Amino acid sequence: MTEVTVPTGLWDTGDEAAISAWLYADGDAVAAGAVIAEIMVEKSSFELVAPASGTLAILVAAEIPVVQGQTVARIA
Amino acid sequence: MSSPENIPSETSAAESIASAGAGTPAATARPARRLTIARAIAEAIGQEMGRDSDVLVMGEDIAKLGGVFGTTTGLLDRFGAERVRDTPISETAFIGAAVGLAASGMKPVVELMFVDFFGVCMDAIYNLAAKQSYFSGGNVTCPMVLMTSVGGGYGDAGQHSQTLYATFGHLPGLKVVIPSNAYDAKGLMLAAIRDPNPVIFMYHKALQGMGWLGTVQRSITDAPEGDYVVPLGKAKVAREGGDVTLVGLGLSVHQALDAAERLVGDGASAEVIDLVSIAPLDREAVRASVRKTGRLLVVDDDYLSYGVGAEVIASVCEAGIALRAAPQRIAFPDIPVPFTPVMEHFVLPNADKIVAAARAMMEMTSHD
């Protein structure tokens, strides 16, 4: 099982971030390297990339604030 | 339009799934490759720039920023500032320049950030680009794509929230398309760039997958990595049904699909047609559906009068198709788009209004 975490160092830690959209649904098969979600920070978009192939389990829904390094999904 | 050999063999299967807005394609072994419409547009432009050195992109904030609606993300890094050009805030200048580039053999993809801004560049669009081929006896074509954001619903007021489909659909010489999902967005963009005549490629802000505009999850669909085209001018059946035909485009396809789901509870089965294109308009696709259902409700978020709904209804009536209820349309009333969200949402189409109108049409015929 691999944890999917919010990237660090791409934006100021004080800025509010949230996943704007999960491109895949909970339980979908995903391939390593695929963009699985987009994170919006102050109207800029960042990619969340699948670190492994497998079945996606979403832990944090879209539109909920997230912080850098936070685990938002697992791939098993 | 592109030649058929560009269409991969998996297209028809993937197409029906994508247009139905359903989940993972069962026919393919690979995991679904889900894209937002914004990513699909950027991917299509990038692929065609890689294939054809005549293709270039211009517009406000499309290079360094990647487009305010994400339509050109990553293109500057891949292709450089010569082919991915940030322009000054003068639509008159850069859209005029695009028409000239197209006349001299280039294939510009030019972004009009909001369709609402068309006023200052319309002469280049409808008097020059649209008529270039006709005036020159077909000797000088105009292979340009004008991509532009449409639609409201997020409190951006009367100069940044219009759709203006019919304004462009009314003018001969322009093709006008609007995708409802990522699969169609990519295939339509590839077809649009390869078309020898000007194509107005409209994308709805509520479907872009940009967080601050809201996102309709159903628009995020599987899109193959390879090359494929979705033909310009062909409508799609997004959901099959037998009691009423709901016709939409862009965002209103999703509102119609939501309504169709709720009508199941009434025991009614609604067919949903995604127009995909309003010029050319696939009149036969609508007629075929209404011949089956006998009821027609058209939904769009452009102004009501002289609009898409009127044209679609006329197409059916002119064909003399027997109807079980008077055809209806839901559209934006003939007023400027209000700024206040409460007022804006009061006048925008939505699934509730579609359900109510469809029920009234069923009522109309239940007594005869």
Side-chain angles (χ1 to χ4, degrees), chain A residues 20-24 28-31 35 38 40 43 47 63, chain B residues 24 31-36 39 209-212 215 217 220:
Chain A
S20 55
W22 283 102
L23 306 195
Y24 292 79
D28 276 354
V30 299
V35 176
E38 292 185 0
M40 289 300 283
K43 293 196 178 181
E47 297 178 346
E63 312 290 339
Chain B
T24 313
R33 187 172 168 278
R34 292 186 182 276
L35 301 180
T36 59
R39 285 180 179 279
M210 308 292 281
W212 51 287
T215 296
Q217 201 67 31
I220 301 172

PDB file of all heavy atoms in Angstrom, chain A residues 20-24 28-31 35 38 40 43 47 63, chain B residues 24 31-36 39 209-212 215 217 220:
ATOM      1  N   SER A  20      -9.224  20.443  -5.906  1.00  0.00           N
ATOM      2  CA  SER A  20     -10.359  21.001  -6.645  1.00  0.00           C
ATOM      3  C   SER A  20     -11.176  19.894  -7.282  1.00  0.00           C
ATOM      4  O   SER A  20     -12.387  19.994  -7.387  1.00  0.00           O
ATOM      5  CB  SER A  20      -9.883  21.985  -7.704  1.00  0.00           C
ATOM      6  OG  SER A  20      -8.930  21.378  -8.555  1.00  0.00           O
ATOM      7  N   ALA A  21     -10.521  18.837  -7.724  1.00  0.00           N
ATOM      8  CA  ALA A  21     -11.257  17.730  -8.340  1.00  0.00           C
ATOM      9  C   ALA A  21     -10.422  16.469  -8.265  1.00  0.00           C
ATOM     10  O   ALA A  21      -9.220  16.491  -8.551  1.00  0.00           O
ATOM     11  CB  ALA A  21     -11.586  18.046  -9.795  1.00  0.00           C
ATOM     12  N   TRP A  22     -11.056  15.387  -7.859  1.00  0.00           N
ATOM     13  CA  TRP A  22     -10.460  14.073  -8.043  1.00  0.00           C
ATOM     14  C   TRP A  22     -10.795  13.632  -9.464  1.00  0.00           C
ATOM     15  O   TRP A  22     -11.959  13.650  -9.862  1.00  0.00           O
ATOM     16  CB  TRP A  22     -11.033  13.067  -7.036  1.00  0.00           C
ATOM     17  CG  TRP A  22     -10.458  13.212  -5.660  1.00  0.00           C
ATOM     18  CD1 TRP A  22     -11.041  13.817  -4.595  1.00  0.00           C
ATOM     19  CD2 TRP A  22      -9.179  12.725  -5.206  1.00  0.00           C
ATOM     20  NE1 TRP A  22     -10.197  13.754  -3.498  1.00  0.00           N
ATOM     21  CE2 TRP A  22      -9.057  13.082  -3.849  1.00  0.00           C
ATOM     22  CE3 TRP A  22      -8.130  12.030  -5.822  1.00  0.00           C
ATOM     23  CZ2 TRP A  22      -7.931  12.769  -3.087  1.00  0.00           C
ATOM     24  CZ3 TRP A  22      -7.017  11.721  -5.075  1.00  0.00           C
ATOM     25  CH2 TRP A  22      -6.917  12.092  -3.724  1.00  0.00           C
ATOM     26  N   LEU A  23      -9.794  13.266 -10.242  1.00  0.00           N
ATOM     27  CA  LEU A  23     -10.067  12.841 -11.610  1.00  0.00           C
ATOM     28  C   LEU A  23     -10.554  11.392 -11.639  1.00  0.00           C
ATOM     29  O   LEU A  23     -11.095  10.935 -12.629  1.00  0.00           O
ATOM     30  CB  LEU A  23      -8.830  12.994 -12.493  1.00  0.00           C
ATOM     31  CG  LEU A  23      -8.165  14.375 -12.522  1.00  0.00           C
ATOM     32  CD1 LEU A  23      -7.210  14.471 -13.703  1.00  0.00           C
ATOM     33  CD2 LEU A  23      -9.183  15.497 -12.612  1.00  0.00           C
ATOM     34  N   TYR A  24     -10.318  10.672 -10.558  1.00  0.00           N
ATOM     35  CA  TYR A  24     -10.750   9.276 -10.454  1.00  0.00           C
ATOM     36  C   TYR A  24     -11.666   9.136  -9.246  1.00  0.00           C
ATOM     37  O   TYR A  24     -11.583   9.926  -8.305  1.00  0.00           O
ATOM     38  CB  TYR A  24      -9.546   8.344 -10.273  1.00  0.00           C
ATOM     39  CG  TYR A  24      -8.663   8.275 -11.494  1.00  0.00           C
ATOM     40  CD1 TYR A  24      -7.747   9.292 -11.767  1.00  0.00           C
ATOM     41  CD2 TYR A  24      -8.755   7.202 -12.373  1.00  0.00           C
ATOM     42  CE1 TYR A  24      -6.952   9.238 -12.891  1.00  0.00           C
ATOM     43  CE2 TYR A  24      -7.951   7.137 -13.504  1.00  0.00           C
ATOM     44  CZ  TYR A  24      -7.050   8.150 -13.761  1.00  0.00           C
ATOM     45  OH  TYR A  24      -6.269   8.096 -14.873  1.00  0.00           O
ATOM     46  N   ASP A  28     -11.362   3.231  -8.102  1.00  0.00           N
ATOM     47  CA  ASP A  28     -10.905   3.124  -9.491  1.00  0.00           C
ATOM     48  C   ASP A  28      -9.478   2.576  -9.553  1.00  0.00           C
ATOM     49  O   ASP A  28      -8.671   2.806  -8.654  1.00  0.00           O
ATOM     50  CB  ASP A  28     -10.893   4.510 -10.165  1.00  0.00           C
ATOM     51  CG  ASP A  28     -12.253   4.900 -10.715  1.00  0.00           C
ATOM     52  OD1 ASP A  28     -13.181   4.067 -10.683  1.00  0.00           O
ATOM     53  OD2 ASP A  28     -12.377   6.052 -11.182  1.00  0.00           O
ATOM     54  N   ALA A  29      -9.182   1.904 -10.655  1.00  0.00           N
ATOM     55  CA  ALA A  29      -7.799   1.509 -10.931  1.00  0.00           C
ATOM     56  C   ALA A  29      -7.044   2.720 -11.476  1.00  0.00           C
ATOM     57  O   ALA A  29      -7.562   3.456 -12.315  1.00  0.00           O
ATOM     58  CB  ALA A  29      -7.786   0.380 -11.951  1.00  0.00           C
ATOM     59  N   VAL A  30      -5.845   2.940 -10.964  1.00  0.00           N
ATOM     60  CA  VAL A  30      -5.016   4.039 -11.469  1.00  0.00           C
ATOM     61  C   VAL A  30      -3.632   3.503 -11.822  1.00  0.00           C
ATOM     62  O   VAL A  30      -3.174   2.507 -11.265  1.00  0.00           O
ATOM     63  CB  VAL A  30      -4.876   5.199 -10.442  1.00  0.00           C
ATOM     64  CG1 VAL A  30      -6.232   5.803 -10.126  1.00  0.00           C
ATOM     65  CG2 VAL A  30      -4.212   4.719  -9.158  1.00  0.00           C
ATOM     66  N   ALA A  31      -2.986   4.188 -12.760  1.00  0.00           N
ATOM     67  CA  ALA A  31      -1.642   3.792 -13.177  1.00  0.00           C
ATOM     68  C   ALA A  31      -0.624   4.743 -12.563  1.00  0.00           C
ATOM     69  O   ALA A  31      -0.893   5.952 -12.440  1.00  0.00           O
ATOM     70  CB  ALA A  31      -1.538   3.820 -14.693  1.00  0.00           C
ATOM     71  N   VAL A  35      -2.033  11.677 -13.477  1.00  0.00           N
ATOM     72  CA  VAL A  35      -2.537  12.762 -12.633  1.00  0.00           C
ATOM     73  C   VAL A  35      -3.875  12.307 -12.077  1.00  0.00           C
ATOM     74  O   VAL A  35      -4.788  12.006 -12.839  1.00  0.00           O
ATOM     75  CB  VAL A  35      -2.698  14.058 -13.448  1.00  0.00           C
ATOM     76  CG1 VAL A  35      -3.315  15.153 -12.571  1.00  0.00           C
ATOM     77  CG2 VAL A  35      -1.364  14.508 -14.002  1.00  0.00           C
ATOM     78  N   GLU A  38      -6.328  17.427  -8.929  1.00  0.00           N
ATOM     79  CA  GLU A  38      -5.742  18.756  -9.064  1.00  0.00           C
ATOM     80  C   GLU A  38      -5.939  19.497  -7.753  1.00  0.00           C
ATOM     81  O   GLU A  38      -6.977  19.383  -7.111  1.00  0.00           O
ATOM     82  CB  GLU A  38      -6.391  19.513 -10.214  1.00  0.00           C
ATOM     83  CG  GLU A  38      -6.054  18.901 -11.554  1.00  0.00           C
ATOM     84  CD  GLU A  38      -6.596  19.700 -12.724  1.00  0.00           C
ATOM     85  OE1 GLU A  38      -7.241  20.742 -12.499  1.00  0.00           O
ATOM     86  OE2 GLU A  38      -6.373  19.262 -13.865  1.00  0.00           O
ATOM     87  N   MET A  40      -5.909  23.195  -5.990  1.00  0.00           N
ATOM     88  CA  MET A  40      -5.973  24.628  -6.275  1.00  0.00           C
ATOM     89  C   MET A  40      -5.416  25.403  -5.095  1.00  0.00           C
ATOM     90  O   MET A  40      -5.797  25.158  -3.946  1.00  0.00           O
ATOM     91  CB  MET A  40      -7.417  25.079  -6.501  1.00  0.00           C
ATOM     92  CG  MET A  40      -8.048  24.600  -7.787  1.00  0.00           C
ATOM     93  SD  MET A  40      -7.220  25.123  -9.304  1.00  0.00           S
ATOM     94  CE  MET A  40      -7.763  26.819  -9.450  1.00  0.00           C
ATOM     95  N   LYS A  43      -5.981  30.164  -6.902  1.00  0.00           N
ATOM     96  CA  LYS A  43      -6.299  30.153  -8.341  1.00  0.00           C
ATOM     97  C   LYS A  43      -5.179  29.598  -9.219  1.00  0.00           C
ATOM     98  O   LYS A  43      -5.214  29.708 -10.437  1.00  0.00           O
ATOM     99  CB  LYS A  43      -6.724  31.542  -8.845  1.00  0.00           C
ATOM    100  CG  LYS A  43      -8.053  31.995  -8.252  1.00  0.00           C
ATOM    101  CD  LYS A  43      -8.656  33.153  -9.020  1.00  0.00           C
ATOM    102  CE  LYS A  43     -10.009  33.532  -8.408  1.00  0.00           C
ATOM    103  NZ  LYS A  43     -10.643  34.633  -9.118  1.00  0.00           N
ATOM    104  N   GLU A  47      -0.623  19.557  -9.708  1.00  0.00           N
ATOM    105  CA  GLU A  47      -1.019  18.179  -9.990  1.00  0.00           C
ATOM    106  C   GLU A  47      -0.728  17.268  -8.804  1.00  0.00           C
ATOM    107  O   GLU A  47       0.286  17.426  -8.123  1.00  0.00           O
ATOM    108  CB  GLU A  47      -0.256  17.651 -11.201  1.00  0.00           C
ATOM    109  CG  GLU A  47      -0.545  18.408 -12.479  1.00  0.00           C
ATOM    110  CD  GLU A  47       0.261  17.882 -13.658  1.00  0.00           C
ATOM    111  OE1 GLU A  47       1.229  17.118 -13.434  1.00  0.00           O
ATOM    112  OE2 GLU A  47      -0.089  18.235 -14.798  1.00  0.00           O
ATOM    113  N   GLU A  63     -12.622  19.927  -2.282  1.00  0.00           N
ATOM    114  CA  GLU A  63     -13.103  21.163  -1.649  1.00  0.00           C
ATOM    115  C   GLU A  63     -12.800  21.246  -0.152  1.00  0.00           C
ATOM    116  O   GLU A  63     -13.166  22.206   0.499  1.00  0.00           O
ATOM    117  CB  GLU A  63     -14.621  21.385  -1.873  1.00  0.00           C
ATOM    118  CG  GLU A  63     -15.102  21.213  -3.315  1.00  0.00           C
ATOM    119  CD  GLU A  63     -14.638  22.315  -4.256  1.00  0.00           C
ATOM    120  OE1 GLU A  63     -14.283  23.406  -3.758  1.00  0.00           O
ATOM    121  OE2 GLU A  63     -14.592  22.072  -5.474  1.00  0.00           O
TER     122      GLU A  63
ATOM    123  N   THR B  24     -15.498   3.577 -15.936  1.00  0.00           N
ATOM    124  CA  THR B  24     -14.357   2.987 -16.597  1.00  0.00           C
ATOM    125  C   THR B  24     -14.789   2.173 -17.811  1.00  0.00           C
ATOM    126  O   THR B  24     -15.696   1.360 -17.712  1.00  0.00           O
ATOM    127  CB  THR B  24     -13.631   2.050 -15.619  1.00  0.00           C
ATOM    128  OG1 THR B  24     -13.476   2.748 -14.393  1.00  0.00           O
ATOM    129  CG2 THR B  24     -12.281   1.639 -16.141  1.00  0.00           C
ATOM    130  N   PRO B  31      -6.065   0.962 -17.317  1.00  0.00           N
ATOM    131  CA  PRO B  31      -6.865   1.765 -16.395  1.00  0.00           C
ATOM    132  C   PRO B  31      -7.381   3.001 -17.134  1.00  0.00           C
ATOM    133  O   PRO B  31      -6.736   3.480 -18.058  1.00  0.00           O
ATOM    134  CB  PRO B  31      -5.873   2.177 -15.310  1.00  0.00           C
ATOM    135  CG  PRO B  31      -4.670   1.328 -15.502  1.00  0.00           C
ATOM    136  CD  PRO B  31      -4.658   0.889 -16.930  1.00  0.00           C
ATOM    137  N   ALA B  32      -8.540   3.495 -16.718  1.00  0.00           N
ATOM    138  CA  ALA B  32      -9.071   4.706 -17.332  1.00  0.00           C
ATOM    139  C   ALA B  32      -8.050   5.827 -17.212  1.00  0.00           C
ATOM    140  O   ALA B  32      -7.294   5.889 -16.244  1.00  0.00           O
ATOM    141  CB  ALA B  32     -10.373   5.106 -16.656  1.00  0.00           C
ATOM    142  N   ARG B  33      -8.024   6.660 -18.206  1.00  0.00           N
ATOM    143  CA  ARG B  33      -7.084   7.766 -18.212  1.00  0.00           C
ATOM    144  C   ARG B  33      -7.928   9.028 -18.144  1.00  0.00           C
ATOM    145  O   ARG B  33      -8.371   9.543 -19.149  1.00  0.00           O
ATOM    146  CB  ARG B  33      -6.289   7.700 -19.516  1.00  0.00           C
ATOM    147  CG  ARG B  33      -5.167   8.667 -19.608  1.00  0.00           C
ATOM    148  CD  ARG B  33      -4.343   8.378 -20.856  1.00  0.00           C
ATOM    149  NE  ARG B  33      -3.433   9.467 -21.088  1.00  0.00           N
ATOM    150  CZ  ARG B  33      -3.779  10.593 -21.696  1.00  0.00           C
ATOM    151  NH1 ARG B  33      -4.988  10.762 -22.154  1.00  0.00           N
ATOM    152  NH2 ARG B  33      -2.880  11.557 -21.852  1.00  0.00           N
ATOM    153  N   ARG B  34      -8.202   9.467 -16.939  1.00  0.00           N
ATOM    154  CA  ARG B  34      -9.182  10.532 -16.777  1.00  0.00           C
ATOM    155  C   ARG B  34      -8.562  11.916 -16.902  1.00  0.00           C
ATOM    156  O   ARG B  34      -7.528  12.197 -16.304  1.00  0.00           O
ATOM    157  CB  ARG B  34      -9.891  10.402 -15.438  1.00  0.00           C
ATOM    158  CG  ARG B  34     -10.778   9.193 -15.373  1.00  0.00           C
ATOM    159  CD  ARG B  34     -11.574   9.164 -14.095  1.00  0.00           C
ATOM    160  NE  ARG B  34     -12.379   7.960 -14.065  1.00  0.00           N
ATOM    161  CZ  ARG B  34     -13.566   7.848 -14.657  1.00  0.00           C
ATOM    162  NH1 ARG B  34     -14.075   8.881 -15.290  1.00  0.00           N
ATOM    163  NH2 ARG B  34     -14.237   6.728 -14.595  1.00  0.00           N
ATOM    164  N   LEU B  35      -9.240  12.764 -17.668  1.00  0.00           N
ATOM    165  CA  LEU B  35      -8.788  14.138 -17.854  1.00  0.00           C
ATOM    166  C   LEU B  35      -9.949  15.086 -17.589  1.00  0.00           C
ATOM    167  O   LEU B  35     -11.100  14.746 -17.836  1.00  0.00           O
ATOM    168  CB  LEU B  35      -8.316  14.363 -19.298  1.00  0.00           C
ATOM    169  CG  LEU B  35      -7.171  13.523 -19.853  1.00  0.00           C
ATOM    170  CD1 LEU B  35      -6.892  13.941 -21.292  1.00  0.00           C
ATOM    171  CD2 LEU B  35      -5.922  13.689 -19.013  1.00  0.00           C
ATOM    172  N   THR B  36      -9.614  16.288 -17.128  1.00  0.00           N
ATOM    173  CA  THR B  36     -10.593  17.366 -17.145  1.00  0.00           C
ATOM    174  C   THR B  36     -10.669  17.886 -18.585  1.00  0.00           C
ATOM    175  O   THR B  36      -9.775  17.626 -19.405  1.00  0.00           O
ATOM    176  CB  THR B  36     -10.169  18.519 -16.233  1.00  0.00           C
ATOM    177  OG1 THR B  36      -8.900  19.002 -16.690  1.00  0.00           O
ATOM    178  CG2 THR B  36     -10.045  18.063 -14.783  1.00  0.00           C
ATOM    179  N   ARG B  39      -7.519  19.890 -19.355  1.00  0.00           N
ATOM    180  CA  ARG B  39      -6.349  19.069 -19.691  1.00  0.00           C
ATOM    181  C   ARG B  39      -6.483  18.454 -21.079  1.00  0.00           C
ATOM    182  O   ARG B  39      -5.494  18.321 -21.809  1.00  0.00           O
ATOM    183  CB  ARG B  39      -6.192  17.946 -18.668  1.00  0.00           C
ATOM    184  CG  ARG B  39      -5.651  18.426 -17.365  1.00  0.00           C
ATOM    185  CD  ARG B  39      -5.488  17.313 -16.354  1.00  0.00           C
ATOM    186  NE  ARG B  39      -4.940  17.906 -15.153  1.00  0.00           N
ATOM    187  CZ  ARG B  39      -3.642  18.171 -14.997  1.00  0.00           C
ATOM    188  NH1 ARG B  39      -2.772  17.828 -15.910  1.00  0.00           N
ATOM    189  NH2 ARG B  39      -3.217  18.761 -13.906  1.00  0.00           N
ATOM    190  N   GLY B 209     -13.084  21.945 -14.777  1.00  0.00           N
ATOM    191  CA  GLY B 209     -12.307  21.267 -13.744  1.00  0.00           C
ATOM    192  C   GLY B 209     -11.432  22.229 -12.959  1.00  0.00           C
ATOM    193  O   GLY B 209     -10.490  21.816 -12.291  1.00  0.00           O
ATOM    194  N   MET B 210     -11.739  23.519 -13.052  1.00  0.00           N
ATOM    195  CA  MET B 210     -11.024  24.508 -12.247  1.00  0.00           C
ATOM    196  C   MET B 210     -11.803  24.652 -10.944  1.00  0.00           C
ATOM    197  O   MET B 210     -12.991  24.940 -10.963  1.00  0.00           O
ATOM    198  CB  MET B 210     -10.978  25.868 -12.950  1.00  0.00           C
ATOM    199  CG  MET B 210     -10.458  25.820 -14.372  1.00  0.00           C
ATOM    200  SD  MET B 210      -8.721  25.407 -14.481  1.00  0.00           S
ATOM    201  CE  MET B 210      -7.959  26.969 -14.066  1.00  0.00           C
ATOM    202  N   GLY B 211     -11.123  24.451  -9.819  1.00  0.00           N
ATOM    203  CA  GLY B 211     -11.807  24.414  -8.532  1.00  0.00           C
ATOM    204  C   GLY B 211     -12.659  25.619  -8.240  1.00  0.00           C
ATOM    205  O   GLY B 211     -13.775  25.490  -7.758  1.00  0.00           O
ATOM    206  N   TRP B 212     -12.152  26.807  -8.542  1.00  0.00           N
ATOM    207  CA  TRP B 212     -12.871  28.025  -8.148  1.00  0.00           C
ATOM    208  C   TRP B 212     -14.127  28.257  -8.969  1.00  0.00           C
ATOM    209  O   TRP B 212     -14.910  29.133  -8.693  1.00  0.00           O
ATOM    210  CB  TRP B 212     -11.961  29.243  -8.209  1.00  0.00           C
ATOM    211  CG  TRP B 212     -11.215  29.405  -9.502  1.00  0.00           C
ATOM    212  CD1 TRP B 212     -10.157  28.666  -9.940  1.00  0.00           C
ATOM    213  CD2 TRP B 212     -11.471  30.365 -10.526  1.00  0.00           C
ATOM    214  NE1 TRP B 212      -9.746  29.104 -11.170  1.00  0.00           N
ATOM    215  CE2 TRP B 212     -10.525  30.150 -11.546  1.00  0.00           C
ATOM    216  CE3 TRP B 212     -12.396  31.410 -10.672  1.00  0.00           C
ATOM    217  CZ2 TRP B 212     -10.486  30.923 -12.713  1.00  0.00           C
ATOM    218  CZ3 TRP B 212     -12.358  32.178 -11.827  1.00  0.00           C
ATOM    219  CH2 TRP B 212     -11.411  31.930 -12.828  1.00  0.00           C
ATOM    220  N   THR B 215     -17.011  22.079 -10.332  1.00  0.00           N
ATOM    221  CA  THR B 215     -16.685  21.063 -11.320  1.00  0.00           C
ATOM    222  C   THR B 215     -17.816  20.056 -11.413  1.00  0.00           C
ATOM    223  O   THR B 215     -18.308  19.589 -10.399  1.00  0.00           O
ATOM    224  CB  THR B 215     -15.395  20.317 -10.911  1.00  0.00           C
ATOM    225  OG1 THR B 215     -14.324  21.244 -10.927  1.00  0.00           O
ATOM    226  CG2 THR B 215     -15.078  19.188 -11.880  1.00  0.00           C
ATOM    227  N   GLN B 217     -18.450  16.505 -12.046  1.00  0.00           N
ATOM    228  CA  GLN B 217     -17.592  15.321 -12.059  1.00  0.00           C
ATOM    229  C   GLN B 217     -17.773  14.497 -13.338  1.00  0.00           C
ATOM    230  O   GLN B 217     -16.825  13.922 -13.859  1.00  0.00           O
ATOM    231  CB  GLN B 217     -17.915  14.467 -10.822  1.00  0.00           C
ATOM    232  CG  GLN B 217     -16.797  13.496 -10.427  1.00  0.00           C
ATOM    233  CD  GLN B 217     -15.530  14.193  -9.934  1.00  0.00           C
ATOM    234  OE1 GLN B 217     -15.604  15.274  -9.359  1.00  0.00           O
ATOM    235  NE2 GLN B 217     -14.373  13.593 -10.179  1.00  0.00           N
ATOM    236  N   ILE B 220     -15.402  14.835 -16.345  1.00  0.00           N
ATOM    237  CA  ILE B 220     -14.034  14.298 -16.269  1.00  0.00           C
ATOM    238  C   ILE B 220     -14.097  12.853 -16.740  1.00  0.00           C
ATOM    239  O   ILE B 220     -14.524  11.972 -16.014  1.00  0.00           O
ATOM    240  CB  ILE B 220     -13.492  14.400 -14.832  1.00  0.00           C
ATOM    241  CG1 ILE B 220     -13.482  15.859 -14.362  1.00  0.00           C
ATOM    242  CG2 ILE B 220     -12.098  13.794 -14.738  1.00  0.00           C
ATOM    243  CD1 ILE B 220     -13.134  16.037 -12.889  1.00  0.00           C
TER     244      ILE B 220
END
